[in-house]
Amino acid sequence: MLTHDAIQSGPFKSTLARAQVPGAEAPTGAIEMMGAPMSFKRNSEIYGENEPAEYLYKVVSGTVRTYKTLLDGRRQIGAFYLPGDVFGLERGDQHTASAEAVTDAKVIVVKRKSLFALAQRDAEVARDLWTITSVELQRAQDHMLALVKTAEERVAGFLLEMADRASAKNQIELPMSRQDIADYLGLTIETVSRTMTHLENTAAIELPSSRRVVLRNRATLGRLNG
Amino acid sequence: MLTHDAIQSGPFKSTLARAQVPGAEAPTGAIEMMGAPMSFKRNSEIYGENEPAEYLYKVVSGTVRTYKTLLDGRRQIGAFYLPGDVFGLERGDQHTASAEAVTDAKVIVVKRKSLFALAQRDAEVARDLWTITSVELQRAQDHMLALVKTAEERVAGFLLEMADRASAKNQIELPMSRQDIADYLGLTIETVSRTMTHLENTAAIELPSSRRVVLRNRATLGRLNG
DNA sequence: CGACCATTTGATATGGATCAAGCGATGTGG
DNA sequence: CCACATCGCTTGATCCATATCAAATGGTCG
């Protein structure tokens, strides 16, 4: 497991973090104030399932995945977190999922206890905490719906989701591997690959490279999205 | 759509509701205080997707399902709510799912606005709101994981889940139809039925009737649960 | 009793998984 | 700077879990 010693001694970076998230849905003003920046290398663990949940995190740069693993090794990725997103806030004091850096990533780390203490006194912070959790809940519910769709619908939905979260709305650079996408969508890597190819053949998307996707026909993708 | 006129004029029933939920995880003291009881008949709508989310609800008796519908009619049930459970609390002012009574049901209805106003002043209420949402989030994440398992794993997991929530831990009376179970688990009614039969043949469960299930071998079910 | 609805059971079809190569980009050592 | 190993991705062939289609059975209620 990863320890977070000396985190509290890091310099404040509130303005930097905020600048990264111009239109963030979740108001998380207090987080930058109380947090310390921390860096993680590609594929390194940020926290593990069942570890004490002492901190919550806000992505500054890079991408993070959270996931659960079944006994036989199957992995379900619950979400990808991009700059501005908050993750790791859970009920109970144990993490119910693991978190890893998909790419090299910087996150702001905040002591859960301090934030809860602050929320006790400051109603705005309390509301922020609720909002963070609510946003996460909605994400989870949407994802649940995605998991009962056909492979093509899942992939189309995923591309639309990533495009909506990206800055260039029709040109996306996927930070994650096909395996990550497969584990997020509950498919195999082969099915994801084939489906992408099929979408390309149908002129719904273009694939200049495997990690770069251009949305050519949102109407088609939207229709597929159910 | 269903209107909630005259709800606020109903008599208070705080103690009754609390009595139904001796060991409820989510502390929801304020809800009974502010809410009015309301009854719904089997299969009637409590609220619809995209309707204004003016209220939140706490089950007093009966069972409630929430679900989303895809364009082509496929239905995904997000959760079943039993006495003591709270549902309908969402970010934004539109419901993102529909809710229906699975059986005849009594629920306490609370004005969202009043509760938020109270939370603004009372840190304990604010924390309760967060807890309600957090419980829901965890439920959703667990369900997400369930949706990528095999049919047998999903059914075994479902039975264990229902048993854990029931009072008689090994003898459960399912309030919902096979179709509801199927839509909850992302399977067809036939697969659910066949899997139940198979679990019976394997001596993992007994089926005195289609709605009554006796868990015979939790070890087996647990192993299946991944 | 008879109609209706929920559930089970059976036969067949199929979407996506699995098994197995091939391919292209990236990096490394000679 | 090239040969070659490696890794991520694509493509192909086959298989299988679950869906679909169809019918029989069983419970419930007027």
Side-chain angles (χ1 to χ4, degrees), chain B residues 150-151 188 190-191 194:
Chain B
T150 66
T188 59
E190 293 96 332
T191 298
R194 276 187 246 272

Side-chain angles (χ1 to χ4, degrees), chain B residues 194-209:
Chain B
R194 276 187 246 272
T195 305
M196 293 264 204
T197 304
H198 181 244
L199 289 175
E200 191 180 25
N201 293 338
T202 323
I205 64 172
E206 241 172 274
L207 283 167
S209 81

Side-chain angles (χ1 to χ4, degrees), chain A residues 77-215:
Chain A
I77 292 182
F80 294 112
Y81 297 93
L82 304 182
D85 293 336
V86 175
F87 67 96
L89 177 55
E90 298 173 65
R91 201 174 91 86
D93 42 18
Q94 305 265 115
H95 284 297
T96 60
S98 307
E100 288 175 353
V102 171
T103 61
D104 288 354
K106 281 198 188 62
V107 300
I108 294 176
V109 182
V110 182
K111 261 202 142 75
R112 191 185 129 103
K113 239 188 223 166
S114 325
L115 204 53
F116 281 174
L118 185 55
Q120 184 72 19
R121 287 175 281 115
D122 184 336
E124 196 188 327
V125 172
R127 187 173 243 277
D128 286 355
L129 280 183
W130 179 75
T131 301
I132 288 168
T133 303
S134 280
V135 166
E136 200 58 16
L137 174 58
Q138 184 152 354
R139 204 198 291 278
Q141 283 171 338
D142 290 344
H143 197 188
M144 243 170 58
L145 189 61
L147 290 177
V148 300
K149 297 182 185 178
T150 65
E152 195 166 45
E153 289 169 337
R154 291 185 216 192
V155 172
F158 172 73
L159 293 177
L160 286 172
E161 180 195 341
M162 292 306 292
D164 287 346
R165 294 167 75 184
S167 37
K169 292 297 183 188
N170 277 332
Q171 171 95 20
I172 43 186
E173 182 75 35
L174 298 174
M176 72 291 286
S177 70
R178 291 287 188 270
Q179 187 62 63
D180 281 342
I181 299 174
D183 289 349
Y184 178 64
L185 298 179
L187 299 170
T188 59
I189 187 178
E190 293 95 332
T191 297
V192 170
S193 182
R194 277 187 247 272
T195 305
M196 293 264 204
T197 305
H198 181 244
L199 289 174
E200 191 179 25
N201 293 339
T202 322
I205 63 172
E206 241 172 272
L207 283 167
S209 81
S210 69
R211 296 290 184 105
R212 185 175 298 278
V213 185
V214 182
L215 305 197

